[in-house]
Amino acid sequence: MTSDAARPASGSPAPLLGATEIRRLADELDVRPTKTLGQNFVIDGNTIRRIVAAADLGPDEVVLEVGPGLGSLTLGLLDAAERVVAVEIDPKLAERLPRTIAEFRPERAGALDVVLSDAMRVTELPHAPTALVANLPYNVAVPVVLHLFEHFPTLRHGLVMVQDEVADRLAATPGSKIYGIPSVKSTWYADMRKAGIIGKNVFWPAPKINSGLVGFERHEPPATPASREQVFAAIDAAFAQRRKTLRAALAGWAGSAAAAETALRAAGVDPQARGEKLGIEEFAAIAAHHPDVVGAPAAGEGGA
Protein backbone atom coordinates (compact mmCIF):
# COMPACT_ATOMS: atom_id res chain seq x y z
CA MET A 1 0.00 0.00 0.00
CA THR A 2 1.32 3.44 -0.93
CA SER A 3 1.59 5.85 1.99
CA ASP A 4 -0.03 9.27 1.86
CA ALA A 5 3.42 10.82 1.83
CA ALA A 6 4.60 8.89 -1.21
CA ARG A 7 5.79 11.19 -4.00
CA PRO A 8 2.76 11.87 -6.18
CA ALA A 9 2.52 11.50 -9.93
CA SER A 10 2.49 14.65 -12.01
CA GLY A 11 -0.65 16.66 -11.34
CA SER A 12 -1.41 14.81 -8.10
CA PRO A 13 -1.80 16.62 -4.78
CA ALA A 14 1.41 17.42 -2.93
CA PRO A 15 2.46 14.75 -0.39
CA LEU A 16 1.09 14.94 3.13
CA LEU A 17 1.87 12.96 6.24
CA GLY A 18 0.06 9.66 6.63
CA ALA A 19 -0.03 7.20 9.52
CA THR A 20 3.31 5.65 8.53
CA GLU A 21 5.14 8.98 8.47
CA ILE A 22 3.53 10.22 11.67
CA ARG A 23 4.57 7.10 13.57
CA ARG A 24 8.07 7.21 12.07
CA LEU A 25 8.53 10.78 13.24
CA ALA A 26 7.09 9.99 16.67
CA ASP A 27 9.44 7.02 17.06
CA GLU A 28 12.40 9.11 15.96
CA LEU A 29 11.61 11.73 18.61
CA ASP A 30 10.49 9.20 21.21
CA VAL A 31 7.23 11.14 21.39
CA ARG A 32 3.98 9.66 22.57
CA PRO A 33 0.84 11.83 22.38
CA THR A 34 -0.16 12.97 25.86
CA LYS A 35 -3.54 13.82 27.34
CA THR A 36 -1.83 16.59 29.33
CA LEU A 37 -1.07 18.53 26.14
CA GLY A 38 -4.23 17.33 24.42
CA GLN A 39 -2.24 15.84 21.55
CA ASN A 40 -4.06 13.96 18.81
CA PHE A 41 -2.15 13.89 15.52
CA VAL A 42 -4.05 13.88 12.22
CA ILE A 43 -2.94 10.90 10.11
CA ASP A 44 -5.26 11.32 7.12
CA GLY A 45 -4.25 13.51 4.20
CA ASN A 46 -7.78 13.94 2.90
CA THR A 47 -8.84 15.38 6.26
CA ILE A 48 -5.99 17.89 6.06
CA ARG A 49 -7.07 18.89 2.56
CA ARG A 50 -10.66 19.26 3.75
CA ILE A 51 -9.61 21.54 6.63
CA VAL A 52 -7.40 23.70 4.42
CA ALA A 53 -10.14 24.02 1.79
CA ALA A 54 -12.72 24.97 4.44
CA ALA A 55 -10.36 27.64 5.81
CA ASP A 56 -10.61 29.45 2.45
CA LEU A 57 -7.09 30.86 2.55
CA GLY A 58 -5.75 33.39 0.09
CA PRO A 59 -2.26 32.94 -1.40
CA ASP A 60 -1.02 36.11 0.31
CA GLU A 61 -2.08 35.15 3.84
CA VAL A 62 -0.02 34.62 6.97
CA VAL A 63 -1.54 31.71 8.86
CA LEU A 64 -1.17 31.24 12.59
CA GLU A 65 -1.17 27.56 13.54
CA VAL A 66 -1.29 26.54 17.20
CA GLY A 67 0.03 23.12 18.18
CA PRO A 68 1.43 21.96 14.83
CA GLY A 69 2.67 18.74 16.39
CA LEU A 70 4.46 16.63 13.80
CA GLY A 71 3.44 18.85 10.90
CA SER A 72 0.41 17.21 9.30
CA LEU A 73 -1.62 20.39 8.97
CA THR A 74 1.42 22.62 8.56
CA LEU A 75 2.25 21.06 5.20
CA GLY A 76 -1.27 21.62 3.93
CA LEU A 77 -1.26 25.23 5.10
CA LEU A 78 2.06 25.94 3.39
CA ASP A 79 0.52 24.72 0.13
CA ALA A 80 -2.27 27.30 0.40
CA ALA A 81 -0.82 30.39 2.09
CA GLU A 82 2.18 32.68 1.80
CA ARG A 83 3.55 31.94 5.27
CA VAL A 84 2.81 29.87 8.37
CA VAL A 85 3.70 30.92 11.90
CA ALA A 86 3.48 27.82 14.09
CA VAL A 87 3.32 28.10 17.89
CA GLU A 88 4.39 24.87 19.59
CA ILE A 89 4.80 24.23 23.32
CA ASP A 90 6.74 20.94 23.02
CA PRO A 91 10.49 21.59 22.46
CA LYS A 92 11.06 18.29 20.61
CA LEU A 93 8.24 18.94 18.19
CA ALA A 94 9.21 22.58 17.68
CA GLU A 95 12.78 21.62 16.85
CA ARG A 96 11.80 18.86 14.41
CA LEU A 97 9.12 20.76 12.47
CA PRO A 98 11.42 22.86 10.22
CA ARG A 99 13.31 19.71 9.19
CA THR A 100 10.04 17.95 8.38
CA ILE A 101 9.00 20.85 6.17
CA ALA A 102 12.43 20.86 4.49
CA GLU A 103 12.00 17.13 3.80
CA PHE A 104 8.48 17.29 2.35
CA ARG A 105 8.33 20.88 1.02
CA PRO A 106 11.92 22.01 0.47
CA GLU A 107 10.74 24.90 -1.70
CA ARG A 108 8.56 26.19 1.17
CA ALA A 109 11.01 25.76 4.05
CA GLY A 110 11.66 29.50 4.21
CA ALA A 111 7.96 30.26 4.60
CA LEU A 112 7.72 28.72 8.09
CA ASP A 113 8.36 30.38 11.44
CA VAL A 114 8.27 28.21 14.56
CA VAL A 115 7.66 29.88 17.91
CA LEU A 116 8.43 27.73 20.96
CA SER A 117 5.82 28.90 23.46
CA ASP A 118 2.55 28.28 25.22
CA ALA A 119 -0.11 29.84 22.98
CA MET A 120 -1.76 31.34 26.07
CA ARG A 121 1.39 33.41 26.67
CA VAL A 122 2.07 34.61 23.14
CA THR A 123 1.47 38.32 22.58
CA GLU A 124 3.92 38.94 19.73
CA LEU A 125 4.74 37.00 16.56
CA PRO A 126 7.40 37.42 13.87
CA HIS A 127 4.70 38.20 11.30
CA ALA A 128 1.20 39.62 11.75
CA PRO A 129 -1.22 36.72 11.16
CA THR A 130 -4.28 37.19 8.97
CA ALA A 131 -5.84 33.77 9.58
CA LEU A 132 -5.95 31.21 12.38
CA VAL A 133 -6.10 27.54 11.39
CA ALA A 134 -5.40 25.02 14.11
CA ASN A 135 -6.13 21.64 15.63
CA LEU A 136 -6.51 22.91 19.18
CA PRO A 137 -6.00 20.85 22.34
CA TYR A 138 -9.43 20.10 23.74
CA ASN A 139 -8.70 21.25 27.29
CA VAL A 140 -7.58 24.79 26.37
CA ALA A 141 -9.42 25.47 23.11
CA VAL A 142 -11.74 28.25 24.28
CA PRO A 143 -9.20 30.29 26.30
CA VAL A 144 -6.66 29.98 23.47
CA VAL A 145 -9.15 31.27 20.88
CA LEU A 146 -10.17 34.21 23.10
CA HIS A 147 -6.54 35.02 23.91
CA LEU A 148 -5.56 35.08 20.24
CA PHE A 149 -8.57 37.21 19.33
CA GLU A 150 -7.56 39.70 22.02
CA HIS A 151 -3.87 39.99 21.17
CA PHE A 152 -3.88 39.64 17.38
CA PRO A 153 -6.44 42.01 15.85
CA THR A 154 -4.98 41.30 12.40
CA LEU A 155 -6.68 37.88 12.46
CA ARG A 156 -9.47 38.37 9.93
CA HIS A 157 -10.84 34.87 9.71
CA GLY A 158 -10.03 31.28 10.51
CA LEU A 159 -10.99 27.69 11.18
CA VAL A 160 -10.28 25.73 14.34
CA MET A 161 -10.77 22.06 15.04
CA VAL A 162 -11.90 21.38 18.60
CA GLN A 163 -13.87 18.80 20.53
CA ASP A 164 -17.29 18.61 18.87
CA GLU A 165 -19.07 19.67 22.06
CA VAL A 166 -16.82 22.73 22.28
CA ALA A 167 -17.51 23.52 18.63
CA ASP A 168 -21.24 23.48 19.33
CA ARG A 169 -20.79 25.83 22.28
CA LEU A 170 -18.64 28.29 20.35
CA ALA A 171 -21.21 28.42 17.56
CA ALA A 172 -24.31 28.40 19.80
CA THR A 173 -26.85 31.22 19.54
CA PRO A 174 -28.95 32.89 22.27
CA GLY A 175 -31.69 30.71 23.68
CA SER A 176 -30.07 27.31 23.14
CA LYS A 177 -29.24 25.09 26.11
CA ILE A 178 -25.52 25.05 25.30
CA TYR A 179 -25.25 28.82 24.82
CA GLY A 180 -22.88 30.21 27.43
CA ILE A 181 -19.77 32.25 28.18
CA PRO A 182 -17.69 30.92 25.22
CA SER A 183 -20.59 31.58 22.85
CA VAL A 184 -21.06 35.21 23.94
CA LYS A 185 -17.43 36.23 24.40
CA SER A 186 -16.35 34.88 21.03
CA THR A 187 -19.02 36.99 19.31
CA TRP A 188 -17.46 40.14 20.75
CA TYR A 189 -14.74 39.50 18.17
CA ALA A 190 -16.24 37.48 15.34
CA ASP A 191 -19.17 35.70 13.74
CA MET A 192 -18.79 32.02 14.64
CA ARG A 193 -20.22 29.09 12.68
CA LYS A 194 -20.09 25.31 12.84
CA ALA A 195 -18.27 24.20 9.70
CA GLY A 196 -18.30 20.41 9.95
CA ILE A 197 -17.55 17.29 11.96
CA ILE A 198 -14.34 15.25 11.87
CA GLY A 199 -14.48 11.57 12.79
CA LYS A 200 -12.30 9.88 15.39
CA ASN A 201 -10.36 7.51 13.16
CA VAL A 202 -8.34 10.17 11.35
CA PHE A 203 -6.33 10.84 14.52
CA TRP A 204 -3.54 9.05 16.36
CA PRO A 205 -4.40 8.26 19.03
CA ALA A 206 -8.10 8.20 18.22
CA PRO A 207 -10.05 10.42 20.66
CA LYS A 208 -13.17 9.09 22.34
CA ILE A 209 -15.47 11.60 20.63
CA ASN A 210 -15.69 13.41 17.30
CA SER A 211 -14.10 16.76 16.59
CA GLY A 212 -15.87 19.79 15.20
CA LEU A 213 -14.76 22.55 12.87
CA VAL A 214 -15.60 26.13 13.77
CA GLY A 215 -15.10 28.90 11.25
CA PHE A 216 -15.08 32.60 12.06
CA GLU A 217 -15.08 35.98 10.35
CA ARG A 218 -13.84 38.96 12.33
CA HIS A 219 -16.08 41.98 12.90
CA GLU A 220 -15.91 45.19 14.88
CA PRO A 221 -16.98 44.85 18.52
CA PRO A 222 -20.27 46.43 19.62
CA ALA A 223 -20.22 50.19 20.05
CA THR A 224 -20.25 50.87 23.80
CA PRO A 225 -18.55 53.23 26.27
CA ALA A 226 -17.76 50.16 28.38
CA SER A 227 -14.45 48.38 27.92
CA ARG A 228 -14.18 44.78 26.76
CA GLU A 229 -13.21 43.81 30.31
CA GLN A 230 -16.34 45.49 31.69
CA VAL A 231 -18.57 43.76 29.15
CA PHE A 232 -16.95 40.39 29.87
CA ALA A 233 -17.44 40.94 33.61
CA ALA A 234 -21.17 41.34 33.01
CA ILE A 235 -21.19 38.13 30.94
CA ASP A 236 -19.32 36.22 33.65
CA ALA A 237 -21.75 37.42 36.32
CA ALA A 238 -24.83 36.56 34.25
CA PHE A 239 -23.71 33.00 33.55
CA ALA A 240 -22.23 32.28 36.98
CA GLN A 241 -25.83 31.87 38.12
CA ARG A 242 -27.52 31.23 34.81
CA ARG A 243 -30.76 29.94 36.33
CA LYS A 244 -31.32 33.21 38.16
CA THR A 245 -32.93 36.27 36.63
CA LEU A 246 -30.50 38.93 35.48
CA ARG A 247 -31.66 41.21 38.29
CA ALA A 248 -30.47 38.63 40.81
CA ALA A 249 -27.45 37.33 38.89
CA LEU A 250 -26.03 40.82 38.29
CA ALA A 251 -26.62 42.10 41.83
CA GLY A 252 -23.03 41.52 42.87
CA TRP A 253 -21.70 42.93 39.61
CA ALA A 254 -23.75 46.14 39.90
CA GLY A 255 -23.46 46.55 43.69
CA SER A 256 -27.06 45.61 44.49
CA ALA A 257 -30.13 44.06 42.91
CA ALA A 258 -31.68 47.52 42.62
CA ALA A 259 -28.61 48.87 40.82
CA ALA A 260 -28.69 45.84 38.51
CA GLU A 261 -32.33 46.50 37.69
CA THR A 262 -31.59 50.14 36.95
CA ALA A 263 -28.78 49.17 34.55
CA LEU A 264 -30.92 46.53 32.87
CA ARG A 265 -33.88 48.83 32.33
CA ALA A 266 -31.61 51.57 31.01
CA ALA A 267 -30.21 49.03 28.54
CA GLY A 268 -33.68 48.02 27.45
CA VAL A 269 -33.37 44.53 28.94
CA ASP A 270 -36.07 42.84 31.02
CA PRO A 271 -34.68 42.39 34.57
CA GLN A 272 -36.56 39.07 34.78
CA ALA A 273 -34.79 37.68 31.70
CA ARG A 274 -31.88 35.25 31.94
CA GLY A 275 -28.43 35.65 30.47
CA GLU A 276 -28.83 32.75 28.07
CA LYS A 277 -31.39 34.80 26.12
CA LEU A 278 -29.06 37.74 25.41
CA GLY A 279 -26.57 38.39 22.64
CA ILE A 280 -23.34 40.37 22.81
CA GLU A 281 -25.09 43.62 21.87
CA GLU A 282 -27.34 43.41 24.93
CA PHE A 283 -24.43 42.65 27.23
CA ALA A 284 -22.53 45.60 25.80
CA ALA A 285 -25.54 47.82 26.49
CA ILE A 286 -25.87 46.48 30.05
CA ALA A 287 -22.18 47.12 30.75
CA ALA A 288 -22.58 50.66 29.43
CA HIS A 289 -25.01 51.32 32.29
CA HIS A 290 -22.87 49.88 35.10
CA PRO A 291 -22.57 52.51 37.85
CA ASP A 292 -18.81 52.80 37.26
CA VAL A 293 -19.28 53.47 33.54
CA VAL A 294 -22.21 55.85 33.98
CA GLY A 295 -20.36 57.76 36.65
CA ALA A 296 -17.03 57.88 34.82
CA PRO A 297 -15.99 61.23 33.30
CA ALA A 298 -16.14 61.45 29.52
CA ALA A 299 -12.87 61.38 27.60
CA GLY A 300 -10.99 64.62 28.19
CA GLU A 301 -12.90 65.46 31.36
CA GLY A 302 -11.81 65.24 34.97
CA GLY A 303 -8.76 66.43 36.80
CA ALA A 304 -5.17 65.46 36.24
Side-chain angles (χ1 to χ4, degrees):
M1 180 178 291
T2 303
S3 84
D4 194 24
R7 185 59 54 186
S10 177
S12 297
L16 295 169
L17 301 181
T20 301
E21 289 71 39
I22 290 293
R23 289 189 170 90
R24 172 177 65 82
L25 288 168
D27 287 343
E28 172 196 322
L29 298 174
D30 192 25
V31 167
R32 291 295 174 267
T34 68
K35 288 185 178 180
T36 303
L37 296 180
Q39 292 170 322
N40 296 92
F41 301 133
V42 181
I43 58 174
D44 178 66
N46 286 332
T47 298
I48 295 300
R49 294 183 186 102
R50 177 185 168 193
I51 292 169
V52 173
D56 193 23
L57 300 170
D60 60 342
E61 297 214 56
V62 176
V63 179
L64 171 58
E65 182 186 8
V66 174
L70 293 167
S72 303
L73 180 56
T74 314
L75 286 169
L77 294 174
L78 284 168
D79 291 338
E82 179 177 311
R83 176 169 291 277
V84 173
V85 179
V87 176
E88 175 57 61
I89 194 173
D90 187 315
K92 283 185 179 180
L93 298 178
E95 182 181 5
R96 183 63 171 88
L97 186 59
R99 289 191 286 131
T100 301
I101 301 307
E103 177 183 349
F104 287 92
R105 296 290 188 285
E107 74 283 3
R108 300 291 288 139
L112 173 72
D113 296 277
V114 180
V115 177
L116 176 61
S117 179
D118 180 346
M120 284 296 295
R121 297 179 180 274
V122 170
T123 56
E124 294 183 3
L125 292 170
H127 300 274
T130 60
L132 169 66
V133 185
N135 172 20
L136 293 176
Y138 293 166
N139 54 341
V140 296
V142 170
V144 163
V145 168
L146 293 176
H147 174 82
L148 296 176
F149 275 151
E150 177 185 353
H151 290 282
F152 298 101
T154 56
L155 287 172
R156 300 194 307 263
H157 69 116
L159 186 81
V160 294
M161 180 160 58
V162 296
Q163 186 176 347
D164 196 37
E165 178 183 323
V166 175
D168 288 337
R169 289 181 177 177
L170 279 171
T173 54
S176 68
K177 291 182 179 179
I178 57 174
Y179 183 73
I181 290 175
S183 321
V184 196
K185 288 185 177 180
S186 61
T187 58
W188 171 267
Y189 302 101
D191 294 316
M192 313 293 288
R193 70 184 189 281
K194 183 81 174 282
I197 297 175
I198 303 293
K200 297 172 282 194
N201 294 333
V202 302
F203 295 95
W204 174 66
K208 293 182 179 179
I209 57 178
N210 290 333
S211 297
L213 298 176
V214 179
F216 70 86
E217 296 287 339
R218 191 104 183 199
H219 60 219
E220 289 297 315
T224 174
S227 67
R228 178 188 57 80
E229 291 82 2
Q230 289 169 326
V231 175
F232 280 16
I235 294 168
D236 289 335
F239 284 95
Q241 305 177 77
R242 63 183 297 154
R243 293 190 178 278
K244 290 189 175 182
T245 66
L246 285 168
R247 184 184 190 278
L250 296 181
W253 166 83
S256 69
E261 179 167 350
T262 298
L264 288 161
R265 292 195 182 281
V269 175
D270 181 358
Q272 297 305 307
R274 289 176 171 78
E276 62 198 34
K277 301 293 185 182
L278 306 187
I280 190 62
E281 296 283 352
E282 286 97 337
F283 279 109
I286 292 167
H289 292 91
H290 186 282
D292 289 348
V293 178
V294 174
E301 296 181 359

